[in-house]
Amino acid sequence: MRTGPTILHLDMDAFYASAEQAAKPSLRGKAVVVGGLGPRGVVATASYEARRFGVHSAMPMGQARRLAPNAAYLVPRFRLYREVSEQVMGLLRELSPLVEPLSLDEAFVDLEAGEVASDAGSAEAVGVRLRADIRRVTGLTGSVGLAASKMLAKIASEEAKPDGLVLIRPGTERALIGPKSVRILPGVGPATGDHLRRAGILTVAEIAEAGQDELVRLLGKSHGQHLYAMALAHDERPVVAERDSKSVSVEDTYDVDIHDRVRVRTEVQRLADRCVERLRAAERSGRTVVLKVRRYDFSTLTRSETLRGPTDDPAVVREAAARLLESVDTTGGVRLLGVGVSGLADFTQEDLFAQAAAAEEGRGAEGGTVDAAVEEAERGEAAEVETGPAERRWMAGHDVRHAEFGPGWVQGSGLGRVTVRFETPYTVGPGRVRTFQVDDPLLEPAEPLPLVERAGDRGAA
């Protein structure tokens, strides 16, 4: 492990919800929930104001509405989120050639590789400057963690939330993480955490005290050795640029084992979409789809399928993952699911029939997402736009423009009417609200405006 805290972890604060608050003056300082608004929708992101009511990501939307009935509930706007993410990642790449994106709003940066920091003082200065640049360019806030390893940098950024910076100085690591819950360590999900709890191991220090042999007995050789090393603050994983990766994958560990086969299929579909989002963010395609399943007894199965050519089509990856799932027995329960794509290339040679089928199934979802709940929301709402009654064309939170009143966003729709609040990111104070017929010829969908005003933006508005 390096001697200076020169690995940086950036995590944007409540990214989707914060972007919506920045875009909509009337929602600033108020509870905002982004996700699928249909009967099976789930929360993608909740603002910090909404979190005070107990709302959190991956929660069923119905439960969120019961906890925070007065919050603003919005459908995701992925075009905006991707544009902001590109701005943030651009700032990170100015610091170092080694930037490892984990999602649209999270990444590791090796500051030593960029020769911008070598010790605690210079690393902290870079972190302070980065946070200021992010606010200046995007209008949003991000939390920064600085440490000598990826694990510790991520722990530090969690400590820094929201809108802060935490630096872990070399030599203080074990004292810092020792009293914390085992759940802060990479690879410790709800299932592993519960397994350790039953063995009387609740903190990181207790993992270290238990010793490697006991961890191997409890969790198996690979997992036990890995966890013991992490508890000692030993993490030699390098920051690896996405474009240099041999594969892209995502996985989720579940609080409670999943027994319902339909739910398992749904989770696999979501993971496939998340994987494609990362693939596209890296501007790559892949030929082999991999499914990972960890069952109730901790046994882990992997299945793979090699396609006829590289793809970054979410429909193709979803279909391949679904086929792989059919060969796996999940009746005893599932603790973890993962979907990956390997055999990466810089071009695509997709199955044209699969593309045509995808276009028929659900046009309107622009690629995958970094969050399973978010992508389901976009697909579900897009389907409503295509197949539902006319009034469902206008999705809550999405951008519109009226020929007379200018740009605004949809507050809600129903009974043949759509309510629009006319404001932009640059409006001073909440904008006015007006209601129109859903087929009003003067009202049309619009592109998102940048969150920070640039020359000409106000004139365009």
Side-chain angles (χ1 to χ4, degrees), residues 189-451:
T192 299
D194 190 55
H195 201 58
L196 292 171
R197 180 186 59 79
R198 290 197 297 268
I201 299 174
L202 303 178
T203 67
V204 174
E206 288 170 344
I207 290 179
E209 292 168 5
Q212 181 169 286
D213 290 345
E214 177 64 9
L215 267 293
V216 168
R217 186 187 70 80
L218 288 171
L219 304 174
K221 183 176 181 180
S222 177
H223 198 184
Q225 290 178 343
H226 167 80
L227 201 56
Y228 181 68
M230 292 292 181
L232 297 179
H234 295 163
D235 179 15
E236 300 294 339
R237 295 174 299 160
V239 176
V240 180
E242 188 84 77
R243 62 179 177 272
D244 296 326
S245 299
K246 294 183 173 62
S247 64
V248 173
S249 63
V250 294
E251 61 183 42
D252 278 340
T253 303
Y254 303 99
D255 291 323
V256 179
D257 290 356
I258 301 175
H259 294 84
D260 181 10
R261 184 71 173 182
V262 174
R263 168 84 188 282
V264 173
R265 292 193 192 100
T266 300
E267 293 296 326
V268 168
Q269 298 291 289
R270 293 174 178 174
L271 290 165
D273 290 327
R274 288 173 59 191
C275 183
V276 170
E277 175 68 23
R278 293 193 64 189
L279 198 65
R280 288 183 168 185
E283 298 182 352
R284 305 295 294 275
S285 60
R287 186 170 182 174
T288 300
V289 178
V290 180
L291 175 70
K292 177 180 177 181
V293 180
R294 180 169 296 149
R295 299 190 293 189
Y296 68 99
D297 58 357
F298 286 91
S299 62
T300 302
L301 305 176
T302 57
R303 300 287 186 269
S304 64
E305 176 181 321
T306 299
L307 308 172
R308 286 184 288 177
T311 185
D312 65 352
D313 187 323
V316 173
V317 176
R318 283 198 299 265
E319 292 165 6
R323 287 193 295 270
L324 294 170
L325 180 61
E326 293 306 311
S327 66
V328 178
D329 179 12
T330 61
T331 54
V334 171
R335 292 178 177 270
L336 175 147
L337 290 168
V339 174
V341 175
S342 61
L344 301 189
D346 293 320
F347 63 93
T348 62
Q349 184 181 332
E350 290 133 331
D351 183 328
L352 297 180
F353 293 104
Q355 289 187 43
E360 288 296 322
E361 284 180 10
R363 204 184 310 270
E366 296 182 37
T369 83
V370 298
D371 189 290
V374 176
E375 180 58 24
E376 184 192 28
E378 187 179 56
R379 289 202 314 275
E381 295 298 336
E384 289 180 355
V385 173
E386 294 292 328
T387 63
E391 62 264 25
R392 297 298 293 173
R393 289 187 301 119
W394 305 105
M395 294 182 284
H398 278 216
D399 300 275
V400 295
R401 172 177 288 276
H402 192 275
E404 180 180 351
F405 302 109
W409 57 277
V410 176
Q411 280 204 162
S413 64
L415 301 176
R417 295 180 176 84
V418 55
T419 300
V420 177
R421 185 178 288 275
F422 288 98
E423 61 184 7
T424 73
Y426 332 122
T427 303
V428 178
R432 296 189 64 180
V433 176
R434 296 181 183 273
T435 299
F436 308 92
Q437 296 295 316
V438 294
D439 57 356
D440 189 324
L442 300 182
L443 187 67
E444 61 183 6
E447 297 297 320
L449 291 170
L451 299 182

Side-chain angles (χ1 to χ4, degrees), residues 95-168:
L95 299 177
S96 173
L98 291 183
V99 175
E100 183 177 340
L102 304 180
S103 63
L104 288 178
D105 62 338
E106 185 180 3
F108 287 108
V109 185
D110 188 331
L111 301 180
E112 276 189 17
E115 299 182 350
V116 294
S118 58
D119 56 19
S122 57
E124 186 171 19
V126 169
V128 170
R129 186 170 68 249
L130 172 64
R131 291 178 58 237
D133 287 343
I134 289 172
R135 186 184 288 273
R136 172 179 55 82
V137 172
T138 71
L140 304 180
T141 64
S143 295
V144 168
L146 292 158
S149 70
K150 290 169 71 172
M151 176 191 76
L152 293 166
K154 185 171 176 62
I155 291 172
S157 70
E158 285 296 319
E159 292 281 318
K161 281 188 168 294
D163 190 21
L165 182 151
V166 168
L167 182 148
I168 300 178

